Amino acid sequence: MMGALRRSAACLAVTLIAGLLLTGCGGEAPASEVPLPVLANNPAVHDDSRVATRGVVRHFEDPLHYWIEDEDLNRVEIFPHERVALHLGEAVRVEGHFRYSPREGRRLTLESIERLEGG
């Protein structure tokens, strides 16, 4: 009886540790790599999820906003503007929380941004 209880407790501990390793220290699932054309053409599928994608940082002055885009002009707006503004004109990989609404469009709130080599 005690042996079975110990094995059960050990299995539970291993399962919990494996779950933590898979989701990271913050308890969130890892971001899904989603190309910009997918986010542009089917944004509702990824609404309210963590995504990572790549593009070149662009902006518009009035009203001020920043986005990343690919060569086919697929775009996602990036927030906060202050963090992405530093990378204007650069190819970047962004990771964060993606939201979509027909009224506000495609938006990603940054968790991380990194400059890509050659960009």
Side-chain angles (χ1 to χ4, degrees), residues 39-40 43 75-77 98-101 104-108:
L39 287 176
R75 297 175 176 157
V76 171
E77 189 170 6
F98 179 77
R99 295 303 309 252
Y100 169 74
S101 77
E104 295 184 2
R106 300 176 299 269
R107 312 167 64 140
L108 186 131

Side-chain angles (χ1 to χ4, degrees), residues 42-114:
N42 205 354
V45 170
H46 300 283
D47 182 38
D48 200 25
S49 63
R50 292 183 70 234
V51 301
T53 194
R54 298 163 186 257
V56 176
V57 177
R58 304 284 187 221
H59 83 299
F60 190 76
E61 289 292 333
D62 191 22
L64 181 63
H65 58 283
Y66 289 83
W67 65 88
I68 59 169
E69 69 182 20
D70 63 15
E71 60 278 350
D72 295 321
L73 303 181
N74 294 301
R75 297 175 176 157
V76 171
E77 189 170 6
I78 306 293
F79 291 93
H81 293 150
E82 306 80 46
R83 285 188 61 202
V84 73
L86 302 171
H87 298 279
L88 188 60
E90 295 179 352
V92 296
R93 180 184 181 274
V94 294
E95 188 171 313
H97 187 235
F98 179 77
R99 295 303 309 252
Y100 169 74
S101 77
R103 206 166 49 90
E104 295 184 2
R106 300 176 299 269
R107 312 167 64 140
L108 186 131
T109 302
L110 283 176
E111 292 175 8
S112 67
I113 184 169
E114 66 180 276

